[in-house]
Amino acid sequence: MMKLPRVECPRCTREIAAGPVAGRLTKGRLWRHDAPDARRDADGVLVSCAGSLTIVDWPTPGEQLEIDIETPETEPADAMALF
């Protein structure tokens, strides 16, 4: 399980997950999110906040993201035969 840091959106001030930006270790891109005051337009289409997809500073620059991977307790008997 990968946990993304949450960063305040500069437009709506909500705490939004920020994913990594390739080649920029100290930056993150805000995930697309709804505007808090206008959820749908006149046609009923969902409206994203103007701050969606903005590149922002990560609160913990330079830290390695952790991915939790479950490892099996025992190896299958034929595991070496696969190599």
Side-chain angles (χ1 to χ4, degrees):
M1 169 173 46
M2 186 167 134
K3 295 181 182 178
L4 296 174
R6 298 211 173 247
V7 179
E8 185 176 291
C9 173
R11 294 293 183 109
C12 68
T13 69
R14 291 172 52 195
E15 293 287 318
I16 306 298
V21 175
R24 300 176 78 182
L25 297 176
T26 62
K27 301 291 183 182
R29 184 179 305 276
L30 292 180
W31 282 33
R32 187 174 301 277
H33 58 284
D34 304 339
D37 53 349
R39 298 241 178 223
R40 298 192 180 270
D41 68 3
D43 296 326
V45 177
L46 193 61
V47 176
S48 294
C49 173
S52 289
L53 306 178
T54 300
I55 294 178
V56 294
D57 291 326
W58 264 5
T60 53
E63 282 190 17
Q64 179 69 36
L65 293 176
E66 295 182 16
I67 301 174
D68 186 20
I69 300 174
E70 294 182 21
T71 55
E73 293 181 22
T74 59
E75 291 186 7
D78 62 344
M80 289 306 294
L82 298 175
F83 297 104

